[in-house]
Amino acid sequence: MPRDTPYAGVAAIFRSELEAGRPPKVFEDGGRLRDFVHVRDVARANLAAVRTPARPGELTAYNIASGTPHTVGEMALAPAAA
């Protein structure tokens, strides 16, 4: 996700708002689905990609996803429940 959109780094933004005693700001209706991926999973995927032998002259694209979409509204509520 581009970093200049309202939901880039949304988990950290929502947590920071809650820690400051403010409710998380959710744009639109909060119903947009996103596939949130934990940073540890991203790191593991990057290591796996680096360790995979490349074919000479070829580039390979990898998508990193959890496969379980959640709404932005669910993500806004998750830190408050923790």
Side-chain angles (χ1 to χ4, degrees):
M1 177 175 289
R3 67 178 175 200
D4 59 345
T5 65
Y7 291 126
V10 72
I13 293 167
F14 287 164
R15 189 191 73 217
S16 295
E17 289 295 310
L18 288 167
E19 286 175 349
R22 296 184 297 261
K25 292 178 187 137
V26 177
F27 299 93
E28 300 154 354
D29 65 0
R32 300 283 181 199
L33 289 171
R34 298 287 184 265
D35 189 337
F36 295 100
V37 181
H38 195 278
V39 66
R40 287 186 190 118
D41 296 326
V42 174
R44 253 192 307 271
N46 279 303
L47 286 173
V50 168
R51 292 176 178 151
T52 301
R55 293 184 181 148
E58 286 189 20
L59 297 176
T60 304
Y62 296 95
N63 288 313
I64 303 168
S66 71
T68 306
H70 295 279
T71 68
V72 173
E74 289 172 330
M75 183 56 90
L77 294 174

